[in-house]
Amino acid sequence: MVNISVLVSGGGTNLQAIIDKIQTGDLAGAQIVQVISSREGVFALERAEKAGIKGKVVKDTESLLAELAAENTELVVLAGYMKVLEPAVIQAYRQRILNIHPSLIPKYCGKGFYGKRVHQAVIDAGETVSGATVHFVDEGVDTGEIILQRQVPVEPGDTADTLAARVLETEHVIFTEGIQKVIQQLEKKGGK
Ligand code: GRF
């Protein structure tokens, strides 16, 4: 059973998708050992509590490393986590940190491209296709090895909100598929 710590900063819809898929058995071989939020009072923490999962608020790198180790974390999943991880965390969990980004990386990603700004840029560029990407986190911003991507159509008349909602649905599907893929790779390597 791979221990997953999920890092959040907001509503936690991606967290909820992972919780649900574990409960239905669609995400096998994993358990969420804790949810760590960068901010107090976010709905993601309520989702954790409802699911009986330990929730913590952690604001500095030293505490984050301590809390990740305290629960024997083997995979770190960034689910709407809005802080950039310090190199010390990347090094401690090399190729063990996954993120979901709401565009087809390498387009519309990197510094300043998050949330609605991503979708507005896609629309402003006249794109007819966008999507979501699950990737490993390295020292760059949205630059780690891609694990899984899926396209999402941009409809005529889309706003950043309508496109965000459509992409978010795909995020919820591919994030757990990406996590499952990484878990299967870890199990194959025997490296827990
Ligand atoms: C999502 O749009 C995701 O692309 C980004 O954070 C946003 C909020 O996610 N990483 P959530 O609803 O808090 O999971």
Side-chain angles (χ1 to χ4, degrees):
M1 192 63 89
V2 173
N3 294 334
I4 298 178
S5 288
V6 182
L7 274 52
V8 298
S9 299
T13 64
N14 276 290
L15 164 68
Q16 192 63 57
I18 299 165
I19 290 171
D20 295 347
K21 293 284 171 69
I22 289 175
Q23 280 174 356
T24 58
D26 292 307
L27 175 52
Q31 62 185 354
I32 301 174
V33 292
Q34 64 186 333
V35 171
I36 294 178
S37 178
S38 58
R39 295 163 51 208
E40 277 95 0
V42 294
F43 193 57
L45 288 172
E46 289 186 41
R47 295 179 190 272
E49 193 182 352
K50 272 200 205 97
I53 299 168
K54 195 179 292 185
K56 302 172 185 173
V57 176
V58 174
K59 300 200 175 190
D60 66 277
T61 295
E62 197 180 330
S63 309
L64 178 59
L65 284 166
E67 294 301 343
L68 290 172
E71 305 295 340
N72 303 308
T73 301
E74 292 161 297
L75 273 188
V76 180
V77 168
L78 308 186
Y81 188 65
M82 297 314 275
K83 286 182 76 171
V84 176
L85 292 175
E86 298 288 328
V89 181
I90 309 292
Q91 283 143 25
Y93 293 91
R94 177 78 54 197
Q95 291 298 83
R96 296 292 184 99
I97 307 172
L98 285 74
N99 184 47
I100 181 91
H101 180 76
S103 79
L104 294 174
I105 290 178
K107 297 178 87 171
Y108 307 105
C109 66
K111 213 161 168 43
F113 277 106
Y114 56 88
K116 293 276 169 29
R117 294 174 180 209
V118 174
H119 307 295
Q120 194 56 59
V122 166
I123 290 167
D124 294 348
E127 301 281 5
T128 56
V129 174
S130 190
T133 304
V134 182
H135 64 95
F136 284 112
V137 175
D138 62 12
E139 284 80 356
V141 179
D142 302 330
T143 52
E145 178 191 343
I146 290 174
I147 297 163
L148 204 54
Q149 277 189 310
R150 187 139 318 150
Q151 291 188 348
V152 172
V154 180
E155 306 290 359
D158 257 336
T159 63
D161 285 329
T162 57
L163 180 56
R166 192 174 311 118
V167 171
L168 195 56
E169 282 172 26
T170 293
E171 291 176 44
H172 296 161
V173 172
I174 70 166
F175 210 174
T176 44
E177 287 177 10
I179 293 166
Q180 185 73 85
K181 190 175 167 187
V182 170
I183 286 170
Q184 283 163 353
Q185 286 166 352
L186 285 177
E187 285 168 345
K188 231 180 269 165
K189 276 192 295 190
K192 277 279 308 298

